[in-house]
Amino acid sequence: MLCDAHCHLDGSSELAALQRDEHILALINCQSPTEWETNRQLVDGHQPLSFGIHPWQATELRWSEITPYLEATNIIGEIGMDSVWTDVNLLEQARIFEAQLRFAHDHRKPVVLHTKGCERAVLTNIQKYPNRYLVHWYASPEYQADYIRLDCYFTIGPDVLTDPAVTQLAKTIPLNRLLIETDGLAAVTWAQHRPVTVTDYPMILKQSLRIIANLRGMAPAELEATVYQNLQQFLS
Ligand SMILES: [Zn+2]
């Protein structure tokens, strides 16, 4: 059975329906109270949701506005820091990131991490708050061994063959910590430089499985079963 360990629906009822009809287990990301409500209706109890303030929105919401959602969700994320794709002040990002890390740690909720350009800062921060971590679409050649040593889960994105750092990671992650993700259809369009539609979605996941299985010398069906089990374990 297919799974997607980090996905944005971007309001698509078609994608939610396809995931449900094809029995694809997908961890659906929500980065605002409005998106949480929308996604709850779209998945109608069929998929797990994660909620967290994304680094790009680090200054947009007050803590009191988000705590009800952090309490309601079982998974916190994606949260983290980003020095590449946003101009949001890094001190502000660090402040809301650490508050959410502390909340997740205190409430024993697993966390999905966004690390773009801030791999070292995120690594330092999570060492202060031992927890179950999923490092989403890690694409830096640096610190991979440090994150692996912390027993993190990792999602491999659809650029596994075109980004050497992602290829390297896909080969070296311990098998019981390996996951795949699309990050939503917009991210696949970006990563593969081609427009993709909802009907392409199962094929995108199968393609990642085939590529990673090939890199690791495994049968795709065996890898498919393993990453599904890994995602269930991360969520449990
Ligand atoms: Zn994402």
Side-chain angles (χ1 to χ4, degrees), residues 99-140:
Q100 292 179 99
L101 280 182
R102 193 181 309 121
F103 184 98
H105 173 266
D106 293 351
H107 293 78
R108 296 173 183 271
K109 297 189 181 197
V111 172
V112 178
L113 293 169
H114 176 113
T115 57
K116 192 70 192 174
C118 295
E119 290 81 11
R120 188 175 175 165
V122 171
L123 183 67
T124 307
N125 267 298
I126 65 173
Q127 282 171 314
K128 291 191 263 177
Y129 301 96
N131 202 340
R132 191 185 309 157
Y133 288 107
L134 185 167
V135 190
H136 134 66
W137 202 329
Y138 195 82
S140 167

Side-chain angles (χ1 to χ4, degrees), residues 3-5 25-27 48 74-75 108-112 131-134 151-154 173-180 223-236:
C3 65
D4 185 351
L25 173 62
L27 177 54
N74 292 326
I75 310 286
R108 296 173 183 271
K109 297 189 181 197
V111 172
V112 178
N131 202 340
R132 191 185 309 157
Y133 288 107
L134 185 167
D151 205 24
C152 295
Y153 288 78
F154 294 85
I173 302 165
L175 188 57
N176 67 348
R177 293 294 176 259
L178 176 59
L179 297 165
I180 60 167
L223 183 65
E224 182 176 329
T226 303
V227 297
Y228 193 94
Q229 201 177 40
N230 291 346
L231 180 54
Q232 284 181 314
Q233 244 159 39
F234 174 74
L235 296 169
S236 67

Side-chain angles (χ1 to χ4, degrees), residues 4-20:
D4 185 351
H6 179 76
C7 182
H8 300 257
L9 287 178
D10 296 321
S12 173
S13 54
E14 292 101 318
L15 181 54
L18 181 140
Q19 288 168 335
R20 183 184 59 237

